[in-house]
Amino acid sequence: MTRRSLLLSALAAPALGAAAKVSERTVTPEKVFTAPGGRHPNGLQAVAEGLWILDQSDNKAYLTGFDGKLKRTLETDADRGSGIGFDGKNLWIASTYNRKTLEVDPQTGMTLRSFETPGAGVVAFAKNPNQPATGAHGIEFHGGKMWIAVPPAVKIYRIDPADNHVEHEIPAPGERPHGISFQGDSLWCTESNHMAFYKLDPQTGAWNEKIRLAEGSATPHGMSIWKGWMWYSDADGGGGVYRIQL
């Protein structure tokens, strides 16, 4: 290599190694309504009819309008579930405390299939040394594949729902990933301990946008995106359903 080539390589190195540009902002969410049920809405999924809300305290799935009007209530086999998704035909539930992923009939609540959740275990941020093992939180379908956020593994998995095998995985931001949702080809992930949402590259897990919730906001758990709005639910006792304009 010539001296000139070495000089050009040295000049180019900082640009090639520079971190990707990221944007961060702080927002105050708008409370739209209080979720039905036991007021621990831990899973959220937006669909054309409105919002599917999974309550962790009564294990019921509620379908409401975007205004909060109740349309349907389902009894489910979830064990303190933390996530709910929709594949275009059936519901999928993260049954967190028995570490299962359930495929559920959206008309009856009947479990059609049940799978073991990958990455299950005890979360790193557990305060109780005897904390039980848990499974998945957020669930999202995209391109016929199921994505699930699993806090014990601190990972987000892409799964083939036909046989539950893991096709791909990425690191989650922080240590408590919760609701996840796609916006185009980007994957948003709730980080409950950070009171924030991260926009991720679904191939690598790298993030380039972060939305922080203003001080005093309700803690985000379930999350879903619909027509330019990010919806999230608070499972810490308030039971509110909120939205943020993207």
Side-chain angles (χ1 to χ4, degrees):
M1 181 179 287
T2 67
R3 181 179 177 184
R4 183 173 182 274
S5 297
L6 286 168
L7 179 60
L8 289 173
S9 296
L11 290 172
L16 293 172
K21 290 183 179 179
V22 299
S23 65
E24 299 186 37
R25 62 188 173 107
T26 300
V27 303
T28 300
E30 172 194 358
K31 183 176 181 180
V32 183
F33 62 91
T34 297
R39 296 194 176 182
H40 290 279
N42 218 22
L44 192 69
Q45 175 65 61
V47 295
E49 294 175 87
L51 296 167
W52 278 105
I53 302 169
L54 180 68
D55 193 281
Q56 191 173 60
S57 60
D58 64 12
N59 295 308
K60 292 180 181 179
Y62 299 91
L63 176 62
T64 73
F66 289 102
D67 58 359
K69 184 177 180 179
L70 184 61
K71 296 184 175 184
R72 195 180 313 161
T73 302
L74 302 179
E75 298 273 359
T76 77
D77 294 324
D79 182 0
R80 291 161 285 176
S82 298
I84 188 166
F86 183 62
D87 66 5
K89 179 182 178 182
N90 294 323
L91 294 170
W92 290 75
I93 289 175
S95 184
T96 308
Y97 277 78
N98 62 3
R99 304 171 300 283
K100 304 285 188 182
T101 309
L102 311 178
E103 184 179 8
V104 174
D105 186 307
Q107 300 300 322
T108 66
M110 180 184 295
T111 298
L112 304 174
R113 290 190 296 167
S114 175
F115 296 110
E116 297 292 329
T117 299
V122 178
V123 295
F125 55 89
K127 296 179 181 179
N128 180 353
N130 298 315
Q131 178 126 348
T134 56
H137 281 41
I139 297 183
E140 172 82 344
F141 275 81
H142 184 72
K145 303 298 183 178
M146 179 169 63
W147 295 74
I148 60 172
V150 184
V154 199
K155 291 180 180 179
I156 301 172
Y157 297 96
R158 188 186 74 213
I159 294 172
D160 184 342
D163 58 7
N164 200 49
H165 84 268
V166 175
E167 298 181 329
H168 178 62
E169 63 183 56
I170 58 174
E175 60 182 8
R176 192 184 175 191
H178 214 299
I180 55 175
S181 190
F182 272 87
Q183 182 189 28
D185 291 328
S186 295
L187 178 64
W188 282 92
C189 178
T190 305
E191 216 307 323
S192 299
N193 285 353
H194 293 183
M195 296 288 289
F197 307 93
Y198 292 84
K199 190 177 185 180
L200 310 176
D201 180 332
Q203 296 305 312
T204 66
W207 65 273
N208 61 12
E209 189 173 346
K210 177 182 178 181
I211 297 176
R212 291 183 299 266
L213 294 174
E215 187 175 352
S217 298
T219 303
H221 290 80
M223 182 270 286
S224 193
I225 294 169
W226 187 260
K227 294 187 176 180
W229 290 90
M230 176 183 284
W231 294 78
Y232 84 84
S233 58
D234 167 29
D236 281 349
V241 177
Y242 300 80
R243 67 178 184 173
I244 299 164
Q245 190 162 24
L246 293 174

PDB file of all heavy atoms in Angstrom, residues 69-101:
ATOM      1  N   LYS A  69     -64.859   1.808  24.376  1.00  0.00           N
ATOM      2  CA  LYS A  69     -66.145   1.117  24.467  1.00  0.00           C
ATOM      3  C   LYS A  69     -65.941  -0.389  24.317  1.00  0.00           C
ATOM      4  O   LYS A  69     -65.357  -0.867  23.355  1.00  0.00           O
ATOM      5  CB  LYS A  69     -67.103   1.624  23.390  1.00  0.00           C
ATOM      6  CG  LYS A  69     -68.495   1.021  23.480  1.00  0.00           C
ATOM      7  CD  LYS A  69     -69.418   1.614  22.430  1.00  0.00           C
ATOM      8  CE  LYS A  69     -70.817   1.001  22.524  1.00  0.00           C
ATOM      9  NZ  LYS A  69     -71.743   1.581  21.509  1.00  0.00           N
ATOM     10  N   LEU A  70     -66.455  -1.159  25.279  1.00  0.00           N
ATOM     11  CA  LEU A  70     -66.261  -2.604  25.293  1.00  0.00           C
ATOM     12  C   LEU A  70     -67.080  -3.288  24.209  1.00  0.00           C
ATOM     13  O   LEU A  70     -68.278  -3.058  24.066  1.00  0.00           O
ATOM     14  CB  LEU A  70     -66.649  -3.166  26.658  1.00  0.00           C
ATOM     15  CG  LEU A  70     -66.426  -4.662  26.877  1.00  0.00           C
ATOM     16  CD1 LEU A  70     -64.949  -5.018  26.747  1.00  0.00           C
ATOM     17  CD2 LEU A  70     -66.959  -5.083  28.238  1.00  0.00           C
ATOM     18  N   LYS A  71     -66.429  -4.161  23.435  1.00  0.00           N
ATOM     19  CA  LYS A  71     -67.087  -4.893  22.361  1.00  0.00           C
ATOM     20  C   LYS A  71     -67.164  -6.397  22.619  1.00  0.00           C
ATOM     21  O   LYS A  71     -68.112  -7.059  22.200  1.00  0.00           O
ATOM     22  CB  LYS A  71     -66.342  -4.659  21.036  1.00  0.00           C
ATOM     23  CG  LYS A  71     -66.356  -3.226  20.531  1.00  0.00           C
ATOM     24  CD  LYS A  71     -65.676  -3.125  19.180  1.00  0.00           C
ATOM     25  CE  LYS A  71     -65.787  -1.720  18.594  1.00  0.00           C
ATOM     26  NZ  LYS A  71     -65.193  -1.650  17.227  1.00  0.00           N
ATOM     27  N   ARG A  72     -66.148  -6.954  23.303  1.00  0.00           N
ATOM     28  CA  ARG A  72     -66.114  -8.400  23.506  1.00  0.00           C
ATOM     29  C   ARG A  72     -65.237  -8.724  24.707  1.00  0.00           C
ATOM     30  O   ARG A  72     -64.256  -8.026  24.960  1.00  0.00           O
ATOM     31  CB  ARG A  72     -65.559  -9.109  22.268  1.00  0.00           C
ATOM     32  CG  ARG A  72     -65.794 -10.607  22.198  1.00  0.00           C
ATOM     33  CD  ARG A  72     -65.188 -11.196  20.925  1.00  0.00           C
ATOM     34  NE  ARG A  72     -65.529 -10.412  19.750  1.00  0.00           N
ATOM     35  CZ  ARG A  72     -64.874 -10.467  18.582  1.00  0.00           C
ATOM     36  NH1 ARG A  72     -63.833 -11.282  18.452  1.00  0.00           N
ATOM     37  NH2 ARG A  72     -65.250  -9.723  17.569  1.00  0.00           N
ATOM     38  N   THR A  73     -65.593  -9.786  25.417  1.00  0.00           N
ATOM     39  CA  THR A  73     -64.793 -10.257  26.544  1.00  0.00           C
ATOM     40  C   THR A  73     -64.560 -11.749  26.387  1.00  0.00           C
ATOM     41  O   THR A  73     -65.507 -12.503  26.137  1.00  0.00           O
ATOM     42  CB  THR A  73     -65.497  -9.993  27.889  1.00  0.00           C
ATOM     43  OG1 THR A  73     -65.753  -8.601  28.033  1.00  0.00           O
ATOM     44  CG2 THR A  73     -64.642 -10.471  29.054  1.00  0.00           C
ATOM     45  N   LEU A  74     -63.309 -12.185  26.524  1.00  0.00           N
ATOM     46  CA  LEU A  74     -62.970 -13.596  26.395  1.00  0.00           C
ATOM     47  C   LEU A  74     -62.317 -14.113  27.670  1.00  0.00           C
ATOM     48  O   LEU A  74     -61.409 -13.471  28.212  1.00  0.00           O
ATOM     49  CB  LEU A  74     -61.984 -13.819  25.236  1.00  0.00           C
ATOM     50  CG  LEU A  74     -62.384 -13.370  23.837  1.00  0.00           C
ATOM     51  CD1 LEU A  74     -61.236 -13.663  22.875  1.00  0.00           C
ATOM     52  CD2 LEU A  74     -63.656 -14.070  23.374  1.00  0.00           C
ATOM     53  N   GLU A  75     -62.758 -15.266  28.142  1.00  0.00           N
ATOM     54  CA  GLU A  75     -62.039 -15.997  29.184  1.00  0.00           C
ATOM     55  C   GLU A  75     -60.890 -16.728  28.486  1.00  0.00           C
ATOM     56  O   GLU A  75     -61.090 -17.374  27.461  1.00  0.00           O
ATOM     57  CB  GLU A  75     -62.952 -17.019  29.857  1.00  0.00           C
ATOM     58  CG  GLU A  75     -64.159 -16.422  30.566  1.00  0.00           C
ATOM     59  CD  GLU A  75     -63.843 -16.030  31.999  1.00  0.00           C
ATOM     60  OE1 GLU A  75     -62.686 -16.252  32.431  1.00  0.00           O
ATOM     61  OE2 GLU A  75     -64.746 -15.499  32.667  1.00  0.00           O
ATOM     62  N   THR A  76     -59.680 -16.630  29.035  1.00  0.00           N
ATOM     63  CA  THR A  76     -58.543 -17.314  28.415  1.00  0.00           C
ATOM     64  C   THR A  76     -57.871 -18.244  29.422  1.00  0.00           C
ATOM     65  O   THR A  76     -58.126 -18.187  30.624  1.00  0.00           O
ATOM     66  CB  THR A  76     -57.498 -16.315  27.891  1.00  0.00           C
ATOM     67  OG1 THR A  76     -56.719 -15.808  28.986  1.00  0.00           O
ATOM     68  CG2 THR A  76     -58.161 -15.156  27.145  1.00  0.00           C
ATOM     69  N   ASP A  77     -56.970 -19.076  28.901  1.00  0.00           N
ATOM     70  CA  ASP A  77     -56.203 -19.988  29.750  1.00  0.00           C
ATOM     71  C   ASP A  77     -54.879 -19.375  30.193  1.00  0.00           C
ATOM     72  O   ASP A  77     -53.992 -20.089  30.689  1.00  0.00           O
ATOM     73  CB  ASP A  77     -55.918 -21.291  28.989  1.00  0.00           C
ATOM     74  CG  ASP A  77     -57.184 -22.085  28.691  1.00  0.00           C
ATOM     75  OD1 ASP A  77     -58.087 -22.066  29.546  1.00  0.00           O
ATOM     76  OD2 ASP A  77     -57.265 -22.704  27.613  1.00  0.00           O
ATOM     77  N   ALA A  78     -54.722 -18.076  30.013  1.00  0.00           N
ATOM     78  CA  ALA A  78     -53.462 -17.415  30.378  1.00  0.00           C
ATOM     79  C   ALA A  78     -53.207 -17.501  31.877  1.00  0.00           C
ATOM     80  O   ALA A  78     -54.142 -17.502  32.683  1.00  0.00           O
ATOM     81  CB  ALA A  78     -53.493 -15.958  29.946  1.00  0.00           C
ATOM     82  N   ASP A  79     -51.938 -17.562  32.233  1.00  0.00           N
ATOM     83  CA  ASP A  79     -51.522 -17.487  33.625  1.00  0.00           C
ATOM     84  C   ASP A  79     -50.776 -16.163  33.798  1.00  0.00           C
ATOM     85  O   ASP A  79     -49.594 -16.063  33.505  1.00  0.00           O
ATOM     86  CB  ASP A  79     -50.617 -18.669  33.971  1.00  0.00           C
ATOM     87  CG  ASP A  79     -50.181 -18.669  35.437  1.00  0.00           C
ATOM     88  OD1 ASP A  79     -50.582 -17.757  36.187  1.00  0.00           O
ATOM     89  OD2 ASP A  79     -49.423 -19.590  35.811  1.00  0.00           O
ATOM     90  N   ARG A  80     -51.522 -15.136  34.220  1.00  0.00           N
ATOM     91  CA  ARG A  80     -50.974 -13.792  34.417  1.00  0.00           C
ATOM     92  C   ARG A  80     -50.214 -13.326  33.173  1.00  0.00           C
ATOM     93  O   ARG A  80     -49.039 -12.974  33.212  1.00  0.00           O
ATOM     94  CB  ARG A  80     -50.086 -13.756  35.656  1.00  0.00           C
ATOM     95  CG  ARG A  80     -50.860 -13.904  36.956  1.00  0.00           C
ATOM     96  CD  ARG A  80     -49.973 -14.330  38.097  1.00  0.00           C
ATOM     97  NE  ARG A  80     -49.623 -15.746  37.987  1.00  0.00           N
ATOM     98  CZ  ARG A  80     -48.793 -16.376  38.798  1.00  0.00           C
ATOM     99  NH1 ARG A  80     -48.212 -15.702  39.786  1.00  0.00           N
ATOM    100  NH2 ARG A  80     -48.537 -17.655  38.634  1.00  0.00           N
ATOM    101  N   GLY A  81     -50.936 -13.322  32.067  1.00  0.00           N
ATOM    102  CA  GLY A  81     -50.339 -12.995  30.784  1.00  0.00           C
ATOM    103  C   GLY A  81     -49.872 -11.549  30.667  1.00  0.00           C
ATOM    104  O   GLY A  81     -50.395 -10.650  31.314  1.00  0.00           O
ATOM    105  N   SER A  82     -48.874 -11.350  29.801  1.00  0.00           N
ATOM    106  CA  SER A  82     -48.271 -10.029  29.644  1.00  0.00           C
ATOM    107  C   SER A  82     -48.268  -9.522  28.211  1.00  0.00           C
ATOM    108  O   SER A  82     -47.775  -8.422  27.958  1.00  0.00           O
ATOM    109  CB  SER A  82     -46.828 -10.045  30.155  1.00  0.00           C
ATOM    110  OG  SER A  82     -46.771 -10.359  31.524  1.00  0.00           O
ATOM    111  N   GLY A  83     -48.773 -10.299  27.266  1.00  0.00           N
ATOM    112  CA  GLY A  83     -48.740  -9.855  25.875  1.00  0.00           C
ATOM    113  C   GLY A  83     -49.856 -10.485  25.076  1.00  0.00           C
ATOM    114  O   GLY A  83     -50.293 -11.606  25.372  1.00  0.00           O
ATOM    115  N   ILE A  84     -50.312  -9.757  24.053  1.00  0.00           N
ATOM    116  CA  ILE A  84     -51.345 -10.282  23.162  1.00  0.00           C
ATOM    117  C   ILE A  84     -51.055  -9.795  21.746  1.00  0.00           C
ATOM    118  O   ILE A  84     -50.655  -8.643  21.542  1.00  0.00           O
ATOM    119  CB  ILE A  84     -52.756  -9.855  23.639  1.00  0.00           C
ATOM    120  CG1 ILE A  84     -53.844 -10.566  22.822  1.00  0.00           C
ATOM    121  CG2 ILE A  84     -52.925  -8.344  23.618  1.00  0.00           C
ATOM    122  CD1 ILE A  84     -55.244 -10.454  23.451  1.00  0.00           C
ATOM    123  N   GLY A  85     -51.202 -10.690  20.784  1.00  0.00           N
ATOM    124  CA  GLY A  85     -50.959 -10.361  19.382  1.00  0.00           C
ATOM    125  C   GLY A  85     -52.050 -10.944  18.509  1.00  0.00           C
ATOM    126  O   GLY A  85     -52.871 -11.748  18.963  1.00  0.00           O
ATOM    127  N   PHE A  86     -52.040 -10.554  17.237  1.00  0.00           N
ATOM    128  CA  PHE A  86     -53.060 -11.015  16.297  1.00  0.00           C
ATOM    129  C   PHE A  86     -52.384 -11.321  14.970  1.00  0.00           C
ATOM    130  O   PHE A  86     -51.651 -10.470  14.426  1.00  0.00           O
ATOM    131  CB  PHE A  86     -54.122  -9.933  16.118  1.00  0.00           C
ATOM    132  CG  PHE A  86     -55.269 -10.304  15.227  1.00  0.00           C
ATOM    133  CD1 PHE A  86     -56.112 -11.363  15.564  1.00  0.00           C
ATOM    134  CD2 PHE A  86     -55.527  -9.607  14.055  1.00  0.00           C
ATOM    135  CE1 PHE A  86     -57.178 -11.714  14.750  1.00  0.00           C
ATOM    136  CE2 PHE A  86     -56.596  -9.937  13.237  1.00  0.00           C
ATOM    137  CZ  PHE A  86     -57.430 -11.003  13.584  1.00  0.00           C
ATOM    138  N   ASP A  87     -52.585 -12.541  14.453  1.00  0.00           N
ATOM    139  CA  ASP A  87     -51.921 -12.950  13.213  1.00  0.00           C
ATOM    140  C   ASP A  87     -52.776 -12.728  11.969  1.00  0.00           C
ATOM    141  O   ASP A  87     -52.411 -13.163  10.880  1.00  0.00           O
ATOM    142  CB  ASP A  87     -51.477 -14.412  13.301  1.00  0.00           C
ATOM    143  CG  ASP A  87     -52.655 -15.399  13.375  1.00  0.00           C
ATOM    144  OD1 ASP A  87     -53.821 -14.975  13.257  1.00  0.00           O
ATOM    145  OD2 ASP A  87     -52.397 -16.612  13.562  1.00  0.00           O
ATOM    146  N   GLY A  88     -53.914 -12.046  12.135  1.00  0.00           N
ATOM    147  CA  GLY A  88     -54.846 -11.830  11.034  1.00  0.00           C
ATOM    148  C   GLY A  88     -56.029 -12.766  11.090  1.00  0.00           C
ATOM    149  O   GLY A  88     -57.055 -12.523  10.465  1.00  0.00           O
ATOM    150  N   LYS A  89     -55.911 -13.820  11.890  1.00  0.00           N
ATOM    151  CA  LYS A  89     -56.984 -14.793  12.064  1.00  0.00           C
ATOM    152  C   LYS A  89     -57.221 -15.090  13.545  1.00  0.00           C
ATOM    153  O   LYS A  89     -58.358 -15.018  14.022  1.00  0.00           O
ATOM    154  CB  LYS A  89     -56.657 -16.088  11.324  1.00  0.00           C
ATOM    155  CG  LYS A  89     -57.720 -17.168  11.463  1.00  0.00           C
ATOM    156  CD  LYS A  89     -57.300 -18.440  10.731  1.00  0.00           C
ATOM    157  CE  LYS A  89     -58.339 -19.546  10.913  1.00  0.00           C
ATOM    158  NZ  LYS A  89     -57.912 -20.810  10.243  1.00  0.00           N
ATOM    159  N   ASN A  90     -56.156 -15.426  14.247  1.00  0.00           N
ATOM    160  CA  ASN A  90     -56.261 -15.810  15.657  1.00  0.00           C
ATOM    161  C   ASN A  90     -55.449 -14.895  16.561  1.00  0.00           C
ATOM    162  O   ASN A  90     -54.524 -14.219  16.109  1.00  0.00           O
ATOM    163  CB  ASN A  90     -55.795 -17.258  15.855  1.00  0.00           C
ATOM    164  CG  ASN A  90     -56.706 -18.256  15.179  1.00  0.00           C
ATOM    165  OD1 ASN A  90     -57.929 -18.078  15.148  1.00  0.00           O
ATOM    166  ND2 ASN A  90     -56.125 -19.316  14.623  1.00  0.00           N
ATOM    167  N   LEU A  91     -55.808 -14.904  17.838  1.00  0.00           N
ATOM    168  CA  LEU A  91     -55.042 -14.195  18.850  1.00  0.00           C
ATOM    169  C   LEU A  91     -53.916 -15.083  19.363  1.00  0.00           C
ATOM    170  O   LEU A  91     -54.021 -16.310  19.347  1.00  0.00           O
ATOM    171  CB  LEU A  91     -55.938 -13.810  20.033  1.00  0.00           C
ATOM    172  CG  LEU A  91     -57.045 -12.794  19.777  1.00  0.00           C
ATOM    173  CD1 LEU A  91     -57.978 -12.717  20.980  1.00  0.00           C
ATOM    174  CD2 LEU A  91     -56.456 -11.426  19.472  1.00  0.00           C
ATOM    175  N   TRP A  92     -52.840 -14.431  19.825  1.00  0.00           N
ATOM    176  CA  TRP A  92     -51.745 -15.133  20.487  1.00  0.00           C
ATOM    177  C   TRP A  92     -51.493 -14.444  21.809  1.00  0.00           C
ATOM    178  O   TRP A  92     -51.484 -13.208  21.885  1.00  0.00           O
ATOM    179  CB  TRP A  92     -50.487 -15.128  19.625  1.00  0.00           C
ATOM    180  CG  TRP A  92     -50.612 -15.988  18.403  1.00  0.00           C
ATOM    181  CD1 TRP A  92     -51.318 -15.693  17.268  1.00  0.00           C
ATOM    182  CD2 TRP A  92     -50.033 -17.268  18.195  1.00  0.00           C
ATOM    183  NE1 TRP A  92     -51.214 -16.712  16.359  1.00  0.00           N
ATOM    184  CE2 TRP A  92     -50.426 -17.699  16.895  1.00  0.00           C
ATOM    185  CE3 TRP A  92     -49.213 -18.090  18.961  1.00  0.00           C
ATOM    186  CZ2 TRP A  92     -50.028 -18.916  16.372  1.00  0.00           C
ATOM    187  CZ3 TRP A  92     -48.802 -19.301  18.435  1.00  0.00           C
ATOM    188  CH2 TRP A  92     -49.209 -19.708  17.150  1.00  0.00           C
ATOM    189  N   ILE A  93     -51.304 -15.231  22.854  1.00  0.00           N
ATOM    190  CA  ILE A  93     -51.158 -14.687  24.199  1.00  0.00           C
ATOM    191  C   ILE A  93     -49.849 -15.170  24.828  1.00  0.00           C
ATOM    192  O   ILE A  93     -49.528 -16.365  24.776  1.00  0.00           O
ATOM    193  CB  ILE A  93     -52.356 -15.099  25.083  1.00  0.00           C
ATOM    194  CG1 ILE A  93     -53.615 -14.333  24.641  1.00  0.00           C
ATOM    195  CG2 ILE A  93     -52.071 -14.853  26.569  1.00  0.00           C
ATOM    196  CD1 ILE A  93     -54.879 -14.748  25.366  1.00  0.00           C
ATOM    197  N   ALA A  94     -49.113 -14.226  25.415  1.00  0.00           N
ATOM    198  CA  ALA A  94     -47.939 -14.573  26.221  1.00  0.00           C
ATOM    199  C   ALA A  94     -48.436 -14.902  27.622  1.00  0.00           C
ATOM    200  O   ALA A  94     -48.774 -14.013  28.397  1.00  0.00           O
ATOM    201  CB  ALA A  94     -46.965 -13.403  26.261  1.00  0.00           C
ATOM    202  N   SER A  95     -48.541 -16.187  27.916  1.00  0.00           N
ATOM    203  CA  SER A  95     -48.981 -16.657  29.233  1.00  0.00           C
ATOM    204  C   SER A  95     -47.737 -16.727  30.105  1.00  0.00           C
ATOM    205  O   SER A  95     -47.042 -17.746  30.163  1.00  0.00           O
ATOM    206  CB  SER A  95     -49.655 -18.018  29.093  1.00  0.00           C
ATOM    207  OG  SER A  95     -50.161 -18.460  30.326  1.00  0.00           O
ATOM    208  N   THR A  96     -47.461 -15.631  30.785  1.00  0.00           N
ATOM    209  CA  THR A  96     -46.128 -15.369  31.321  1.00  0.00           C
ATOM    210  C   THR A  96     -45.688 -16.315  32.429  1.00  0.00           C
ATOM    211  O   THR A  96     -44.552 -16.796  32.445  1.00  0.00           O
ATOM    212  CB  THR A  96     -46.058 -13.915  31.811  1.00  0.00           C
ATOM    213  OG1 THR A  96     -46.510 -13.075  30.753  1.00  0.00           O
ATOM    214  CG2 THR A  96     -44.651 -13.528  32.191  1.00  0.00           C
ATOM    215  N   TYR A  97     -46.579 -16.599  33.374  1.00  0.00           N
ATOM    216  CA  TYR A  97     -46.126 -17.331  34.558  1.00  0.00           C
ATOM    217  C   TYR A  97     -46.102 -18.847  34.394  1.00  0.00           C
ATOM    218  O   TYR A  97     -45.521 -19.545  35.239  1.00  0.00           O
ATOM    219  CB  TYR A  97     -46.932 -16.905  35.781  1.00  0.00           C
ATOM    220  CG  TYR A  97     -46.377 -15.632  36.381  1.00  0.00           C
ATOM    221  CD1 TYR A  97     -46.648 -14.401  35.808  1.00  0.00           C
ATOM    222  CD2 TYR A  97     -45.541 -15.667  37.491  1.00  0.00           C
ATOM    223  CE1 TYR A  97     -46.119 -13.225  36.323  1.00  0.00           C
ATOM    224  CE2 TYR A  97     -45.002 -14.506  38.022  1.00  0.00           C
ATOM    225  CZ  TYR A  97     -45.292 -13.288  37.430  1.00  0.00           C
ATOM    226  OH  TYR A  97     -44.755 -12.126  37.941  1.00  0.00           O
ATOM    227  N   ASN A  98     -46.713 -19.382  33.344  1.00  0.00           N
ATOM    228  CA  ASN A  98     -46.468 -20.796  33.054  1.00  0.00           C
ATOM    229  C   ASN A  98     -45.567 -20.953  31.826  1.00  0.00           C
ATOM    230  O   ASN A  98     -45.374 -22.042  31.319  1.00  0.00           O
ATOM    231  CB  ASN A  98     -47.762 -21.598  32.908  1.00  0.00           C
ATOM    232  CG  ASN A  98     -48.624 -21.126  31.757  1.00  0.00           C
ATOM    233  OD1 ASN A  98     -48.246 -20.229  31.004  1.00  0.00           O
ATOM    234  ND2 ASN A  98     -49.793 -21.726  31.612  1.00  0.00           N
ATOM    235  N   ARG A  99     -45.069 -19.810  31.342  1.00  0.00           N
ATOM    236  CA  ARG A  99     -44.045 -19.770  30.289  1.00  0.00           C
ATOM    237  C   ARG A  99     -44.512 -20.451  29.001  1.00  0.00           C
ATOM    238  O   ARG A  99     -43.783 -21.207  28.374  1.00  0.00           O
ATOM    239  CB  ARG A  99     -42.732 -20.383  30.807  1.00  0.00           C
ATOM    240  CG  ARG A  99     -42.234 -19.697  32.064  1.00  0.00           C
ATOM    241  CD  ARG A  99     -41.082 -20.391  32.724  1.00  0.00           C
ATOM    242  NE  ARG A  99     -41.381 -21.760  33.130  1.00  0.00           N
ATOM    243  CZ  ARG A  99     -42.108 -22.075  34.207  1.00  0.00           C
ATOM    244  NH1 ARG A  99     -42.626 -21.130  34.980  1.00  0.00           N
ATOM    245  NH2 ARG A  99     -42.339 -23.332  34.512  1.00  0.00           N
ATOM    246  N   LYS A 100     -45.774 -20.137  28.649  1.00  0.00           N
ATOM    247  CA  LYS A 100     -46.373 -20.681  27.433  1.00  0.00           C
ATOM    248  C   LYS A 100     -46.738 -19.550  26.468  1.00  0.00           C
ATOM    249  O   LYS A 100     -46.939 -18.402  26.873  1.00  0.00           O
ATOM    250  CB  LYS A 100     -47.653 -21.460  27.762  1.00  0.00           C
ATOM    251  CG  LYS A 100     -47.496 -22.580  28.766  1.00  0.00           C
ATOM    252  CD  LYS A 100     -46.823 -23.788  28.160  1.00  0.00           C
ATOM    253  CE  LYS A 100     -46.861 -24.964  29.145  1.00  0.00           C
ATOM    254  NZ  LYS A 100     -46.169 -26.156  28.594  1.00  0.00           N
ATOM    255  N   THR A 101     -46.822 -19.900  25.200  1.00  0.00           N
ATOM    256  CA  THR A 101     -47.388 -19.018  24.188  1.00  0.00           C
ATOM    257  C   THR A 101     -48.622 -19.719  23.642  1.00  0.00           C
ATOM    258  O   THR A 101     -48.531 -20.853  23.155  1.00  0.00           O
ATOM    259  CB  THR A 101     -46.383 -18.747  23.055  1.00  0.00           C
ATOM    260  OG1 THR A 101     -45.133 -18.322  23.610  1.00  0.00           O
ATOM    261  CG2 THR A 101     -46.911 -17.659  22.124  1.00  0.00           C
TER     262      THR A 101
END
